[in-house]
Amino acid sequence: YAMYLLIYVVFGVVLVALVLSLHARLKTDAPMLMGATTAFGLIWAGLVIASGMVANIATGVVVDLYGTDPTQATTVWLAVSPVIDGLGGGNEIVGGIWTLLVSVVALRARALHRALNYVGLVVGTAGILSAIPALGEVGGGIFGITQIVWFVGLGILLLRASRREAASVPR
């Protein structure tokens, strides 16, 4: 429960805040593209949250069922796992599109850091490639690892920018 709650539901909620923050920061330079980018980000957040909620409900059902019928519990988990993966873990195409588009907008606007934007292009491409069955595992693995690097770098940049903005506000 805790893993699905943290990795999917909490991440999805925090992702909404990040998507909206990046929208506010980048919309001036590319309003139409940033609108589409934001839509993909919010869709991704919704899919991730839904995946976590389905996983938590399914886990409860399977745990309860396991005490009386382990075979049926296994069958239920095998049936629900593709739904969980399809919503938020089996491929990363929506998150890949969002990350790729954020990076394209930021490169065009000369926003964020150039190196971070290039990492974002790799992350996004890997996420999109994860939807191709032959490349799913490799693309998903690259996406997962590089997405963490991208989020950490993005977090550092946004925190530094907010400190600079706060320091420049007259008191």
Side-chain angles (χ1 to χ4, degrees):
Y1 289 118
M3 182 188 79
Y4 284 118
L5 182 66
L6 180 65
I7 292 175
Y8 289 90
V9 179
V10 172
F11 170 73
V13 170
V14 172
L15 184 59
V16 169
L18 177 61
V19 168
L20 294 176
S21 174
L22 287 173
H23 177 81
R25 188 173 288 276
L26 299 172
K27 70 181 178 185
T28 305
D29 296 303
M32 292 296 290
L33 185 55
M34 204 55 211
T37 302
T38 300
F40 277 106
L42 294 174
I43 290 167
W44 185 32
L47 289 170
V48 169
I49 292 168
S51 178
M53 292 179 352
V54 169
N56 273 338
I57 296 299
T59 299
V61 169
V62 169
V63 167
D64 290 344
L65 191 56
Y66 190 82
T68 58
D69 191 345
T71 303
Q72 190 175 14
T74 301
T75 301
V76 169
W77 188 253
L78 289 172
V80 80
S81 287
V83 175
I84 295 166
D85 286 346
L87 288 171
N91 70 61
E92 304 293 351
I93 190 167
V94 179
I97 291 170
W98 176 73
T99 307
L100 183 72
L101 290 175
V102 166
S103 300
V104 167
V105 170
L107 276 169
R108 282 185 178 177
R110 296 178 187 218
L112 306 175
H113 190 282
R114 191 174 193 90
L116 182 70
N117 294 332
Y118 286 121
V119 170
L121 296 177
V122 172
V123 173
T125 302
I128 293 166
L129 291 176
S130 75
I132 300 169
L135 301 174
E137 295 238 354
V138 172
I142 293 170
F143 176 84
I145 292 167
T146 57
Q147 184 77 67
I148 292 168
V149 171
W150 188 78
F151 277 135
V152 168
L154 182 61
I156 291 168
L157 286 175
L158 293 176
L159 285 172
R160 285 182 182 166
S162 69
R163 285 186 189 143
R164 280 192 303 270
E165 290 166 5
S168 68
V169 173
R171 294 180 183 198

